[in-house]
Amino acid sequence: MEQIKDQYFEGERPLYCKKDGLRLENVKIGPGESSLKEGADIEALHCEFNGKYPFWECDGFTVRNCLFKEGARAALWYSRGCKMYDTLVEAPKMFRRISDVYLENVRMPMAQETFWDCSDIKLRNVYTADANYIFMHCDNIDIDGYELHGNYSFQYARNAVIRNANLQTKDAFWESENITVYDSVINGEFLAWYSKNLRLVRCRIGGTQPLCYCENLVLEDCIFEPDADLAFEYSSVQATVKGHIVSVKNPRSGFVRAGSIGEIILDENIKGPGNCSIHCVEGL
């Protein structure tokens, strides 16, 4: 394996097509493009990236204790087998069309348009902010310990399990499919419209008009904030909610059980079969 330490590179493709293994330690990548493109078996330790597209079309690379500055936008695309630990990512548009991704103790404070069209993603203790449209069209997601600030998250995502998350995001999970969220806060307007097979377990939900137009929606022991009104419109739902729901509007089928419900709206616009059972249950 080739080893490079305490050096600086810039310009076009300075370390292009390194296929036989490469270890970088305390290396700085300055302005330029595609510094490590088409490489394989790469390890970067205590490195700084400030040029575009360093990890494109790479197979098997590990990043530890590194910094991706804003100039390293679109750094990780079209690659396979990425592991990233204890790293700060200040660049937007990271992780596109990548498969087999593992992140642990990673912070991304400028995560616009990040994680698009990726598959087989695992996150542990990750923070993202300014993260509009994160996880769009992603598949097979496993998250535990995650904080998100940004809207339109998980749109069109498929097959995800999320645990112990703080999701501050409106329009989350639109048209998503096969998503389960445990023990998390989800705060934002218009949650999960048009989703299929969404399951929320012991979650705290805030924001107006949540969970409308859903198919096969399941809630288990969730809590609704006071601004989570007009819930479940046109959804097929099986919901057990602890405490109070401000209002429930025109669910299509299934059941809604809560400790108390302020207003139940069943009007002429309800859609068939229109037979959802709605009950207040003492002790919930």
Side-chain angles (χ1 to χ4, degrees), residues 67-275:
L67 170 62
F68 288 82
K69 298 182 74 67
E70 189 172 359
R73 61 193 302 112
L76 303 103
W77 288 29
Y78 301 104
S79 293
R80 297 145 297 275
C82 168
K83 293 181 173 64
M84 182 179 288
Y85 303 89
D86 305 303
T87 289
L88 175 61
V89 179
E90 297 176 343
K93 299 187 177 182
M94 303 288 279
F95 301 103
R96 299 273 191 98
R97 295 189 180 274
I98 284 189
S99 60
D100 187 15
V101 183
Y102 180 84
L103 272 61
E104 184 175 324
N105 299 330
V106 172
R107 293 180 60 84
M108 292 185 278
M110 298 175 61
Q112 307 100 315
E113 301 177 27
T114 290
F115 278 116
W116 284 13
D117 298 291
C118 296
S119 62
D120 301 312
I121 303 161
K122 184 177 285 189
L123 272 58
R124 296 293 184 266
N125 189 28
V126 170
Y127 170 89
T128 59
D130 198 9
N132 289 346
Y133 295 103
I134 196 167
F135 295 109
M136 189 163 65
H137 289 293
C138 287
D139 188 26
N140 294 336
I141 306 167
D142 177 355
I143 293 175
D144 194 347
Y146 178 46
E147 184 172 345
L148 163 65
H149 299 268
N151 298 321
Y152 325 115
S153 60
F154 298 96
Q155 290 197 357
Y156 318 109
R158 302 287 184 269
N159 307 317
V161 176
I162 301 169
R163 301 176 186 273
N164 304 308
N166 178 4
L167 307 178
Q168 302 295 318
T169 172
K170 75 174 183 179
D171 290 358
F173 300 109
W174 273 56
E175 293 192 59
S176 63
E177 189 169 350
N178 303 330
I179 310 291
T180 301
V181 185
Y182 296 95
D183 302 304
S184 297
V185 173
I186 312 173
N187 186 40
E189 303 170 346
F190 317 123
L191 171 64
W193 285 32
Y194 304 102
S195 62
K196 294 181 180 179
N197 306 326
L198 174 65
R199 181 175 171 228
L200 305 177
V201 181
R202 298 182 300 275
C203 291
R204 182 177 291 271
I205 296 163
T208 188
Q209 298 178 62
L211 304 165
C212 301
Y213 293 92
C214 300
E215 181 179 327
N216 193 27
L217 170 67
V218 175
L219 280 72
E220 301 175 22
D221 296 331
C222 292
I223 296 172
F224 276 39
E225 299 287 2
D227 61 347
D229 60 345
L230 303 172
F232 307 126
E233 187 173 24
Y234 303 141
S235 291
S236 60
V237 54
Q238 299 178 45
T240 301
V241 177
K242 298 175 71 173
H244 186 67
I245 303 176
V246 172
S247 54
V248 171
K249 183 175 182 180
N250 286 341
R252 292 183 63 187
S253 63
F255 65 83
V256 176
R257 298 170 184 155
S260 59
I261 301 173
E263 184 179 14
I264 299 172
I265 303 166
L266 302 174
D267 61 25
E268 69 278 8
N269 298 313
I270 195 169
K271 294 183 178 181
N275 60 359

